[in-house]
Amino acid sequence: MKTRSSKLVISLILILAASCNEPETTVTNIVHSDGSVTRRIEMRNQKRVFDKTAIQVPVDSTWTIKDSLEISSKGDTIWVRRAEKLFRNTDAINREYSSDSSANKNFSRRTEFTRKFRWFNTEYRFAEIIEKKLKHGYPVNDFLNKEELKWFYLPGNIKDKKKMSADSLKYRAFNDTVDKKCEKWEIRSLVSEWIYEFAALAGKREKGEITVESLKTHEDEFVKFIESDNLKLDSLWTTNVMLGKLIGEKAALKYRHEADSAGSIVVNHFFVDFKEYTVRTIMPGKITSTNGIVDSSGMSVWPVKSDFFLTQTYEMWAGSKSSNLWAWIISFLFLIFVFTGLIIKRKRAG
Amino acid sequence: METEKDNYGKIVELLRRSRPVIRGNEELTGEVIQRLSTGRRGHFPIYTWIESIYGWIYIPWVRRSLVSISVIIAALFIYQQSVLVRQIKNINRQAIVTEGGVPVSHDSVPPLELYRASGLIFSGKDISISETDLRQLIREYINVKGRYTNLVKIIDENPELKKYVEQKLNEKNSYKSEH
């Protein structure tokens, strides 16, 4: 297992370098009542050329693309590319995702749409889903409480605003608490994923000797190793001290290669090169429920960051309702009919 | 003779005690009332039509079933609408007002650029603008443009004024670049 800190530094450098090329992208899904979706993508870039390998979502020649230029109040030139396409249904969007060649092609994404007829109203639900990267990680909900989860999923600019507001001390302290808990979550998930990968690889060599259950009993120990002394971690690993304490010295020598391979697999899953963007959804009728941020124009908004789908599927959903006017009219006429009948009956009987 | 008389008396007594049982009281009443009312009004087609549509009021089980269905429909409507109102209230409480209405995941962009990127352009609904307001807007724009041109002329014709304006602009630019 490579040193977490050096990999982290390298990955951060790569992410920073890559993020200089990626445009600021906002994907807007305008969902229509028949299930069709108009997808609009706005990309804002510091450069004129939009590097196809840096674009976060699939866009190709079948889209209607318009380029423009804007000057900010600071005098910076921003090139803006707006692309639009009408998809007949969510299956069409999913087909585009399955043949994705964008910067985030390695991530499994899909959309879902349901419509339920409820006589007076029709209920709609649209979701954009990103599958999790680590199969055996822990859900972040196990480490953060309700308030902390809200903060975790908040867009970066709103967090920054709160940290510079009148209650900046409170929010900064809160942010630090959430960061520390997130670090614990990430380490524990990394270890859990490594355990399963290592057990699977060791099982191929000799079944029964190294099992998930036996490794899980040492999980806390493993996590403490990583959390306590990061500097010595590399030497503890390369000299088999750490692995020896977990599975015994003999087994550590025997399964050294599998342990290293499991580590590489986990690190590749963990340190992902994901280009962030923002998703917005406009639903038919009135929006009634969502797990995103509702902005002042009534749209649901979600930031899309790799942390959000590290150990759990990230589902960005919104629900809405629209009235079925014809059902209202029929029901009203029916009620009038019955009421009139009752009045006539009363009069006749009287 | 006396035995026959006695028997006759007994039979009559028995018949007096066993009264006939009338079944379908309600239907009979309804039928009688209907015939009487038809008789009173005469044979106008509209009344016949109303009677045929509202014939169900005389059939108890049909009447009760329709009333039950009406109650269910009314209850369903009240329930659905109350749930909808509550959901919309919750959503409105959750709404976060952001600059221009588009919270993006990177540093905040000045409101003007966000306004261009959001709202009207990305709205799924049509917007209607009053023609009068639009004409007024265009007139005001032409007015402002004309005044600006005149102002620039006045400044150019007056060297002292030009110097003063340039000095102020330079001060403003240097302040901006420092901050």
Side-chain angles (χ1 to χ4, degrees), chain A residues 139-166:
Chain A
V140 70
N141 307 38
D142 291 353
F143 292 79
L144 301 177
N145 62 31
K146 215 174 163 184
E147 288 302 315
E148 288 164 351
L149 272 172
K150 273 188 195 168
W151 181 263
F152 177 71
Y153 286 111
L154 216 53
N157 65 329
I158 297 177
K159 275 188 200 173
D160 292 340
K161 256 194 196 173
K162 286 187 185 277
K163 282 194 273 181
M164 288 190 286
S165 65

Side-chain angles (χ1 to χ4, degrees), chain A residues 40 42 70-71 118 120-121 157 278 280 282 286 288 293-295 321 335 337-338 340-341 345 348, chain B residues 51 53-54 56-58 63 70 80-81 87-88 91 95-96 101-102 104-105 113 116-117 121-122:
Chain A
R40 286 180 181 165
E42 185 185 87
E70 285 169 13
I71 312 287
R118 292 283 180 265
F120 290 109
N121 301 303
N157 65 329
T278 304
R280 301 189 304 175
I282 300 169
K286 277 203 166 336
T288 53
I293 312 288
V294 178
D295 71 7
K321 284 185 187 171
L335 288 174
F337 174 70
V338 171
T340 314
K345 167 93 177 46
R348 299 262 171 95
Chain B
E51 287 303 326
I53 288 176
Y54 285 101
W56 56 268
I57 59 174
Y58 305 113
R63 194 175 62 243
S70 307
Q80 279 192 8
Q81 294 309 107
Q87 282 174 337
I88 291 170
I91 280 287
I96 292 172
V102 181
V104 293
S105 58
E113 273 56 57
R116 280 197 208 125
I121 297 168
F122 285 94

Side-chain angles (χ1 to χ4, degrees), chain A residues 43-57:
Chain A
M43 294 171 274
R44 308 173 78 80
N45 206 10
Q46 303 290 338
K47 295 177 193 171
R48 191 178 177 177
V49 176
F50 286 84
D51 183 6
K52 278 184 186 172
T53 58
I55 294 173
Q56 295 91 330
V57 286

